[in-house]
Amino acid sequence: MIAFGCAITDHELYRRCAEPGLQLVAEEDSKIMPFGSAGLGDASIFRNYNLLMEEASKLDDLETLVLLHQDAQIVDPDFCQKIRGVLSDPDVGLVGCAGAIGVRNIAWWDGSVTLASFSHQYEEYGGGEILGSTFNIEEAPPEARTGEVDTIDGFMMALSPWVVENIRFDESLGRFHGYDFDICQQVRAAGKKVMTEHIRVIHHHSLELIGDVEGWVAAHMRVADKWDGKLSPTQTVPGDWKERTRWAEARRDAALMQANAAELARDAAVLDLQRQLDSVTDSASWRLTKPLRWLKSLVRRGEQPSRNGNSPGPMPSRQR
């Protein structure tokens, strides 16, 4: 039996996003556990997810607990089949639809992203959609793959029964940020695998990806301190704290340069598009004003168009 848990702070958002996806994929014996929080000020995803895990641990024949954000909508009709396929390996602890390797901290996207089978839908600027690199798997880049990763994006994660029984989210780290990276490292430290699978999910989210920057920074520091020196060699940066600090500064400066390059490329693309639009506008304007230009030319030559419009004739003399 597959259980679905969702921590809710906005009931309308849950009904609009998460609930339709659960109705799509839930089986007859599935257990859906919407868990309401007192409010945003009192909400802690660490605490709420731990309570959901406690409830799931009481269920008989539990195959997996799927933890889903209230703004995440599962749109893959084969969801349950795919999750079961990955969790058939007893060494697997967690499954997600987006993940990366070479991850050193809660900024998982800073690693090498191997799978991103989600669509980011936003409402700003009239609304729009940004497809993850593997949402359409047939168009995926060559480096894309499913399989083992260092961490997954936690907006949708499936937990094995072993994880439900033996692991808990670390509530000392904060209220929201870093919960997914931390539990992935706990699972890996216990000898279990963190895996990705091509499962389509729509994430209905603002373009403001990090709303609480100060909270994110605080969580980043706490998680980094907790796992300092404990990550796998492929995740860690060697050397003492000074060397790691200089490394981080260099990475930051390189990222700023890349951001500047991306901005220049964007401005160039906008300029090119504007030129194309201007060219189309000028061409259309030239065609639309052709009759007027033709009449003006006749006036300059002292002629007038015939009544049938086929051939001009001499302009009549002006009566005094």
Side-chain angles (χ1 to χ4, degrees):
M1 180 263 289
I2 295 179
F4 297 88
C6 185
I8 302 173
T9 58
D10 185 332
H11 291 85
E12 177 57 32
L13 186 61
Y14 169 78
R15 284 190 288 267
R16 181 165 55 88
C17 302
E19 190 172 56
L22 296 178
Q23 292 173 347
L24 172 68
V25 302
E27 300 170 328
E28 289 186 5
D29 64 344
S30 293
K31 178 72 171 179
I32 297 179
M33 300 184 295
F35 187 86
S37 297
L40 285 173
D42 301 321
S44 164
I45 199 168
F46 294 86
R47 179 60 178 161
N48 290 339
Y49 275 3
N50 282 339
L51 292 173
L52 284 166
M53 292 173 75
E54 291 292 338
E55 289 300 310
S57 67
K58 301 174 185 177
L59 299 174
D60 295 329
D61 302 322
L62 180 68
E63 294 179 81
T64 179
L65 169 62
V66 178
L67 295 176
L68 189 71
H69 282 196
Q70 61 188 355
D71 58 1
Q73 180 182 356
I74 301 170
V75 292
D76 195 322
D78 298 323
F79 177 87
C80 292
Q81 177 184 346
K82 291 180 178 180
I83 290 294
R84 281 193 179 97
V86 182
L87 289 174
S88 63
D89 181 351
D91 290 332
V92 173
L94 292 175
V95 185
C97 68
I101 58 176
V103 181
R104 296 166 299 277
N105 50 55
I106 67 174
W108 67 271
W109 54 88
D110 195 35
S112 177
V113 177
T114 57
L115 202 75
S117 298
F118 62 87
S119 163
H120 178 182
Q121 291 193 5
Y122 57 90
E123 296 182 353
E124 296 97 323
Y125 306 105
E129 181 178 40
I130 303 171
L131 298 182
S133 59
T134 60
F135 187 77
N136 295 320
I137 196 66
E138 64 276 4
E139 301 174 4
E143 67 274 13
R145 62 169 179 80
T146 60
E148 190 171 1
V149 292
D150 292 335
T151 189
I152 55 177
D153 190 327
F155 71 92
M156 190 287 292
M157 56 191 344
L159 287 60
S160 73
W162 185 91
V163 171
V164 173
E165 290 292 336
N166 295 280
I167 303 290
R168 288 296 179 267
F169 291 89
D170 187 348
E171 297 179 30
S172 70
L173 296 178
R175 308 194 69 80
F176 183 78
H177 303 292
Y179 70 95
D180 41 8
F181 176 83
D182 178 69
I183 199 169
C184 285
Q185 303 320 307
Q186 290 191 59
V187 169
R188 284 163 50 82
K192 299 293 184 179
K193 299 177 183 177
V194 178
M195 305 287 284
T196 56
E197 179 58 80
H198 177 60
I199 299 170
R200 291 190 176 194
V201 181
I202 296 175
H203 198 188
H204 301 267
H205 197 286
S206 166
L207 289 173
E208 188 179 20
L209 299 180
I210 301 178
D212 176 19
V213 175
E214 292 302 318
W216 189 88
V217 170
H220 189 292
M221 294 171 65
R222 292 191 191 102
V223 174
D225 184 61
K226 175 180 178 178
W227 291 102
D228 183 32
K230 300 175 184 177
L231 300 177
S232 68
T234 60
Q235 294 176 263
T236 56
V237 179
D240 59 16
W241 68 268
K242 285 186 178 180
E243 185 176 350
R244 292 198 299 273
T245 300
R246 294 190 183 104
W247 178 89
E249 289 176 342
R251 290 277 298 182
R252 179 205 61 190
D253 292 340
L256 289 173
M257 182 61 71
Q258 289 176 321
N260 290 335
E263 185 175 359
L264 292 174
R266 181 202 63 194
D267 292 343
V270 170
L271 179 61
D272 181 58
L273 179 60
Q274 186 61 55
R275 290 197 194 100
Q276 295 180 44
L277 290 174
D278 291 343
S279 176
V280 171
T281 302
D282 292 343
S283 177
S285 175
W286 182 260
R287 290 194 301 271
L288 290 172
T289 59
K290 182 178 180 180
L292 180 60
R293 289 183 280 105
W294 176 65
L295 287 173
K296 286 182 177 180
S297 69
L298 294 181
V299 172
R300 285 196 300 270
R301 295 198 302 267
E303 299 175 347
Q304 68 173 350
S306 63
R307 292 188 176 182
N308 61 14
N310 292 328
S311 59
M315 292 288 288
S317 60
R318 185 178 299 172
Q319 299 294 325
R320 294 187 181 272

